[in-house]
Amino acid sequence: TLSKNKVLGQYLKERKADELQDHEHELININRLYVENGLDIRQCMTSLFPKEYHTTNMTNQKVTANNIRLWIANETNNKIILNPSWKREFSFNTMVKSTISINAAYFKGVWLNQFLKTETKKERFYTYNEEFSEVDMMTTTGFFTLWSPQDAPMKILEIPYSGRTISIIIVMPYQKHHEEMLHEYLYRFTSEDFEYIFRV
């Protein structure tokens, strides 16, 4: 069991790591907790999370939704701009005091093995069983790390970015029609399981 101080320390450490800027990579990761005016929240929340904590009048959903949209655009330097129609899908129960946790992330990096635009072609992307869509697929050639954990219905592919300090991890069903098995497995998957696989 972790103490509140350890959890806070880890969060602040990760928040600092989220502010990645160099000549090849850019990462913006933002968080905010919107709290209904008048909701009884401990005072320590405002002092420990001054950047994240924000009170609002949630009875006016359109205004709240638009404020969130503008905040995301401003904090990500207009890299993430939600369509105004998003406000129509934004709803919650105004009969109870509420909180809304918002996270938005923008990342732009340079692949270690480049994907040439000329090699992009239409391929089948299976969404469920035999259902598929024709989508643009990027293609490249190189050596990549592929894990096939024992007793796990999945394969894990690592595609590194330039410098090898950052990678994208893609989890795929081990075989076709294993989607439901994979979902059930990932539901029980923990960070310790993830670290164990990568150590092996």
Side-chain angles (χ1 to χ4, degrees):
T1 303
L2 295 176
S3 67
K4 286 191 289 186
N5 287 337
K6 286 187 177 180
V7 172
L8 175 61
Q10 183 64 29
Y11 172 76
L12 295 177
K13 181 180 178 181
E14 291 179 1
R15 186 173 69 181
K16 186 175 181 180
D18 287 339
E19 300 170 357
L20 169 67
Q21 296 283 345
D22 60 36
H23 68 286
E24 291 187 325
H25 306 105
E26 180 181 7
L27 171 64
I28 304 172
N29 188 16
I30 57 174
N31 300 281
R32 175 166 280 189
L33 179 66
Y34 285 86
V35 179
E36 171 71 23
N37 287 331
L39 188 63
D40 187 18
I41 298 291
R42 291 186 178 182
Q43 186 63 35
C44 62
M45 289 292 293
T46 59
S47 57
L48 293 175
F49 305 103
K51 292 179 62 177
E52 293 85 355
Y53 187 90
H54 186 79
T55 57
T56 187
N57 178 12
M58 293 192 188
T59 57
N60 193 330
Q61 295 190 20
K62 289 185 178 180
V63 172
T64 299
N66 193 55
N67 287 342
I68 292 174
R69 177 174 171 269
L70 294 176
W71 171 75
I72 291 174
N74 182 64
E75 291 295 314
T76 61
N77 300 319
N78 292 320
K79 299 293 177 54
I80 301 177
I81 300 178
L82 297 177
N83 192 299
S85 64
W86 173 73
K87 290 185 289 185
R88 293 197 298 268
E89 303 170 11
F90 182 85
S91 64
F92 48 87
N93 188 352
T94 58
M95 300 301 293
V96 296
K97 297 290 185 179
S98 305
T99 62
I100 303 173
S101 178
I102 299 290
N103 170 261
Y106 169 84
F107 175 75
K108 181 179 180 180
V110 177
W111 296 111
L112 181 64
N113 297 283
Q114 294 294 305
F115 292 86
L116 300 178
K117 289 184 178 181
T118 55
E119 295 298 316
T120 299
K121 59 189 72 174
K122 293 287 185 182
E123 298 282 357
R124 288 184 176 183
F125 180 82
Y126 286 88
T127 54
Y128 186 77
N129 290 337
E130 298 300 326
E131 298 177 11
F132 64 87
S133 301
E134 294 284 341
V135 300
D136 289 332
M137 290 279 190
M138 300 188 301
T139 304
T140 189
T141 301
F143 293 94
F144 300 93
T145 302
L146 179 69
W147 289 270
S148 296
Q150 290 184 347
D151 303 322
M154 64 181 181
K155 295 179 287 187
I156 302 175
L157 174 66
E158 178 184 16
I159 306 179
Y161 289 93
S162 178
R164 290 188 177 275
T165 57
I166 303 174
S167 296
I168 185 172
I169 303 297
I170 301 175
V171 179
M172 305 169 287
Y174 188 77
Q175 292 181 359
K176 202 174 177 181
H177 308 307
H178 279 195
E179 295 90 346
E180 291 186 6
M181 293 174 58
L182 177 58
H183 290 165
E184 292 176 4
Y185 184 84
L186 292 178
Y187 184 77
R188 303 187 304 271
F189 205 62
T190 65
S191 58
E192 288 78 12
D193 295 328
F194 189 81
E195 291 176 2
Y196 174 77
I197 289 173
F198 277 76
R199 283 200 303 269
V200 174

